[in-house]
Amino acid sequence: MLKLSIENLLIAAWKQLELPAVAMEVHPSERPEFGDFSTNLALVGARVAGLPPRELAERLAKKLPKDAFSQLEIAGPGFINLFLHPSTIQAALQEILQMGDRFGCSKRLVPTSMQIEFVSSNPTGPLTVGHGRQAVLGDVLASLYEALGYTVSREYYFNDEGHQIDLLSRSLWARYRQLLGDSTAVPEEGYHGSYLIEIARNLKDQYGDDFQSFDEETALTFREEAVSRITTIIKDDLDQLGIEFDAWFSEGSLHRNGEVNAALESLRRKDGIYEKDGAVWLKAEENGGVKDSVLIRKDGRPTYLMVDIAYHINKQRRKFERVIDVQGADHQVEQSCVKAAMRILDYPEEFLGYAVHQFVSIKEGGQIARMSTRAGRFILLHELVNELGRDVVRYFMVARKPESHLEFNMDLARAESLDNPVYYIQYAHTRIASIFRKARALAIDPAKVDLSPLQAKAELGLIKRLDRFPEVVEEAALGFAPHLLTDYALGLARAFHAYYTEHRVIGENESLMTARLSLLSAVQTVFHRSLSILGMSAPEAM
RNA sequence: GCGCCCGUAGCUCAGUGGACAGAGCAACGGCCUUCUAAGCCGUCGGCCGGAGGUUCGAAUCCUCCCGGGCGUACCA
């Protein structure tokens, strides 16, 4: 990577001045007259050097190897603008060509074994567009870390027992009785969505009028039917988005295996709990949490938080070195409490990270729709995907930074469906594929081509853009910010389309043509990698 | 009240300490005998919510205020 090697040159020069280290930045120049890269090293280092920035820049410049840059300028308040030799940039392309599909791996991270938990919606209804954001966000984060070389397990945590599931069972039974002509009402707090009617119809067809009262046996039968049918629906919803989990983890198993009690004992041994008002509380506040919270209710039942802590202990026992939970912004208190528990248990601070995202609202006919699974008011994820397609939905779900509220404008999504960034990016890939179809007979080996004919500004610019890809992947992963990748892909598409219009490939003299084919091969690789991480298709033709 | 997030072009949003603030869409004007026009080129459009402060330098950091969202459960 060009940036890395420039940083190293600057650090080496800085060391020769025998000054304490400072945090500097090297970034691609925003304007051509500022060269290829710029650094603020002389600006941030002026204080420790006790020199005016421009004078420090002069001294630094003398310490840099003479042949490293074609030109070096000190500009403005003390920026050092660096101009690269075309051969340096061409060498970066050579490196990309040699990496091929492995391009994007991190050079400075030490990849480990990681788990990403997301969606984790209880099996009480189909996924809504709100879950969709989390589903895509989690899946793309996982792919980003995989691209960096991590081993990632995608996990879905679900609860198939307890109060909400009882309500679900009772709601289903009410729908069943309604089909048989009764006026049994769905509980006020129950689940009102129409999907339960479908499931009830099946039960009616299978059992007729066998379940007349909601006794224990009925409750169990209806619960199992509801959970298994809805779990299938959820898996189908995810499948439609191209998301597959490595593990489905049952909350109930934590109770059955005694892990909840064991977790409580671990906290007790670390002096992390106390009793008050007949309940057991977590000492969250003194461990960085928002506020102390109940772990064991006065009736002896553990709270969701208690079980959640047990779950995280379980994750740690499974030897994941790093765990990321993708969650909505409404779990802030819960998150801080779990983190507090991790501190009490002396887990490393970086063990658990929360990727928090804000909510999705749907704007349709000028109206903003708020969603509630229980009330049966929501737009279903699969409706959205049916209408717009997997690629479009996935793109829009991660194209915003997670901490921004996502307004999904249905009217706009439909109207723009033929003119949106998704096709713009895919079309770039298609155009390259088309050139390669025409050039197939030439059968070049991109890794052995002489790249020196690549001298045009647009070509060197494209290479510099490609060269940034690993850095973008790394930033997007570490910052839980997949939108950096959609932004990058869009920018690369723009640069490519402009290049495509201005320059030709087929028909140029052989050395130029093969050099350009090599460049396009690298561009195609990066589009392919980007789209693959985003879980979008890279069409050969459109 | 308190905590977290958001407020940037007509709309949806990037940019979170650096040199004249960016993109997509919308609007307007050009470009198809040559590798796919789902494209390209150009124009229009902004006191970066407001007021103070820190800094050589602030959309970015700090304080206060205004507006919107989400929390603030012995719910999950």
Side-chain angles (χ1 to χ4, degrees), chain A residues 236 252 453:
Chain A
D236 288 347

Side-chain angles (χ1 to χ4, degrees), chain A residues 235 289 398:
Chain A
K235 283 185 178 173
V398 291

Side-chain angles (χ1 to χ4, degrees), chain A residues 431-443:
Chain A
R431 279 179 143 179
I432 298 173
S434 177
I435 290 176
F436 277 108
R437 272 196 297 277
K438 292 227 157 53
R440 192 165 32 204
L442 302 166

Side-chain angles (χ1 to χ4, degrees), chain A residues 328-373:
Chain A
D330 53 340
H331 290 82
Q332 178 199 339
V333 174
E334 171 81 10
Q335 289 155 10
S336 81
C337 286
V338 174
K339 287 211 113 183
M342 300 293 99
R343 286 188 199 103
I344 290 168
L345 297 169
D346 296 324
Y347 287 12
E349 194 62 32
E350 64 278 7
F351 171 68
L352 169 64
Y354 281 102
V356 177
H357 63 90
Q358 294 288 329
F359 294 108
V360 182
S361 59
I362 295 278
K363 198 171 178 184
E364 193 166 22
Q367 293 261 316
I368 297 210
R370 248 171 262 288
M371 282 163 287
S372 157
T373 309

Side-chain angles (χ1 to χ4, degrees), chain A residues 38 113 133 154 156 169 191 212 215 221 223 249 261 317 324 359 375 389 445 453 489 524:
Chain A
S38 305
S113 153
R133 183 177 200 184
R154 292 165 169 81
Y156 191 118
S169 173
Y191 294 86
Q212 306 209 352
D215 56 25
T221 305
R223 186 176 94 181
F249 193 97
N261 288 334
R317 290 228 177 92
I324 296 173
F359 294 108
D445 178 356
Q524 192 178 33

Side-chain angles (χ1 to χ4, degrees), chain A residues 129-130 133 357-371 379 384 388 392-393 395-414 416:
Chain A
V129 295
R133 183 177 200 184
H357 63 90
Q358 294 288 329
F359 294 108
V360 182
S361 59
I362 295 278
K363 198 171 178 184
E364 193 166 22
Q367 293 261 316
I368 297 210
R370 248 171 262 288
M371 282 163 287
I379 294 180
L384 194 71
L388 302 174
V392 171
V393 170
Y395 182 88
F396 279 128
M397 287 298 185
V398 291
R400 306 238 166 301
K401 63 178 174 200
E403 58 268 43
S404 284
H405 190 92
L406 173 62
E407 188 175 283
F408 212 111
N409 189 326
M410 286 300 285
D411 306 319
L412 212 65
R414 287 186 191 111
E416 287 179 358

Side-chain angles (χ1 to χ4, degrees), chain A residues 271-504:
Chain A
D271 190 29
I273 60 176
Y274 63 92
E275 291 196 23
K276 192 181 86 178
D277 304 331
V280 179
W281 296 67
L282 177 73
K283 290 182 183 173
E285 207 170 328
E286 63 187 64
N287 290 287
V290 171
K291 54 187 243 185
D292 290 1
S293 299
V294 171
L295 293 173
I296 305 293
R297 300 178 179 92
K298 62 182 160 201
D299 65 9
R301 290 158 46 234
T303 58
Y304 181 85
L305 172 62
M306 181 67 248
V307 186
D308 203 8
I309 293 169
Y311 178 39
H312 283 83
I313 293 174
N314 177 287
K315 293 184 185 195
Q316 197 265 354
R317 290 228 177 92
R318 279 188 277 160
K319 303 291 180 209
F320 293 116
E321 289 172 67
R322 190 154 156 60
V323 156
I324 296 173
D325 293 4
V326 185
Q327 287 191 359
D330 53 340
H331 290 82
Q332 178 199 339
V333 174
E334 171 81 10
Q335 289 155 10
S336 81
C337 286
V338 174
K339 287 211 113 183
M342 300 293 99
R343 286 188 199 103
I344 290 168
L345 297 169
D346 296 324
Y347 287 12
E349 194 62 32
E350 64 278 7
F351 171 68
L352 169 64
Y354 281 102
V356 177
H357 63 90
Q358 294 288 329
F359 294 108
V360 182
S361 59
I362 295 278
K363 198 171 178 184
E364 193 166 22
Q367 293 261 316
I368 297 210
R370 248 171 262 288
M371 282 163 287
S372 157
T373 309
R374 290 187 211 172
R377 285 185 289 108
F378 43 74
I379 294 180
L380 297 180
L381 182 57
H382 76 86
E383 292 169 350
L384 194 71
V385 183
N386 281 344
E387 181 157 356
L388 302 174
R390 177 196 291 185
D391 290 346
V392 171
V393 170
R394 288 191 65 118
Y395 182 88
F396 279 128
M397 287 298 185
V398 291
R400 306 238 166 301
K401 63 178 174 200
E403 58 268 43
S404 284
H405 190 92
L406 173 62
E407 188 175 283
F408 212 111
N409 189 326
M410 286 300 285
D411 306 319
L412 212 65
R414 287 186 191 111
E416 287 179 358
S417 61
L418 279 180
D419 195 16
N420 71 43
V422 175
Y423 301 121
Y424 185 81
I425 296 167
Q426 291 178 326
Y427 186 49
H429 182 269
T430 297
R431 279 179 143 179
I432 298 173
S434 177
I435 290 176
F436 277 108
R437 272 196 297 277
K438 292 227 157 53
R440 192 165 32 204
L442 302 166
I444 56 153
D445 178 356
K448 289 183 186 147
V449 169
D450 171 22
L451 300 172
S452 62
L454 298 175
Q455 297 281 346
K457 272 241 167 328
E459 285 162 343
L460 299 174
L462 266 175
I463 298 171
K464 284 187 283 177
R465 234 176 234 282
L466 297 176
D467 181 72
R468 275 186 46 220
F469 178 68
E471 186 190 334
V472 172
V473 171
E474 186 174 315
E475 277 180 34
L478 297 183
F480 303 153
H483 71 286
L484 296 178
L485 184 57
T486 56
D487 269 12
Y488 172 81
L490 195 59
L492 181 61
R494 192 182 318 123
F496 165 76
H497 284 307
Y499 175 71
Y500 178 94
T501 306
E502 192 187 351
H503 300 279
R504 293 192 57 77

Side-chain angles (χ1 to χ4, degrees), chain A residues 177-312:
Chain A
R177 293 310 305 172
Q178 286 168 12
L179 288 175
L180 288 162
D182 287 8
S183 58
T184 312
V186 173
E188 184 83 12
E189 294 294 303
Y191 294 86
H192 297 259
S194 61
Y195 53 90
L196 284 183
I197 300 175
E198 290 305 308
I199 300 172
R201 205 184 311 279
N202 258 47
L203 284 163
K204 186 194 129 199
D205 292 347
Q206 196 177 342
Y207 297 106
D209 198 12
D210 288 358
F211 299 98
Q212 306 209 352
S213 66
F214 194 72
D215 56 25
E216 209 166 300
E217 190 204 331
T218 306
L220 187 68
T221 305
F222 277 64
R223 186 176 94 181
E224 283 177 356
E225 183 69 12
V227 167
S228 88
R229 289 288 304 274
I230 292 172
T231 301
T232 302
I233 291 172
I234 289 174
K235 283 185 178 173
D236 288 347
D237 289 349
L238 291 165
D239 184 61
Q240 197 187 14
L241 268 179
I243 296 170
E244 196 180 333
F245 282 87
D246 299 297
W248 292 72
F249 193 97
S250 156
E251 180 184 327
S253 72
L254 293 165
H255 294 94
R256 289 192 294 275
N257 298 339
E259 294 179 61
V260 176
N261 288 334
L264 183 65
E265 283 318 303
S266 301
L267 289 170
R268 194 194 303 279
R269 276 196 298 277
K270 295 281 186 181
D271 190 29
I273 60 176
Y274 63 92
E275 291 196 23
K276 192 181 86 178
D277 304 331
V280 179
W281 296 67
L282 177 73
K283 290 182 183 173
E285 207 170 328
E286 63 187 64
N287 290 287
V290 171
K291 54 187 243 185
D292 290 1
S293 299
V294 171
L295 293 173
I296 305 293
R297 300 178 179 92
K298 62 182 160 201
D299 65 9
R301 290 158 46 234
T303 58
Y304 181 85
L305 172 62
M306 181 67 248
V307 186
D308 203 8
I309 293 169
Y311 178 39
H312 283 83

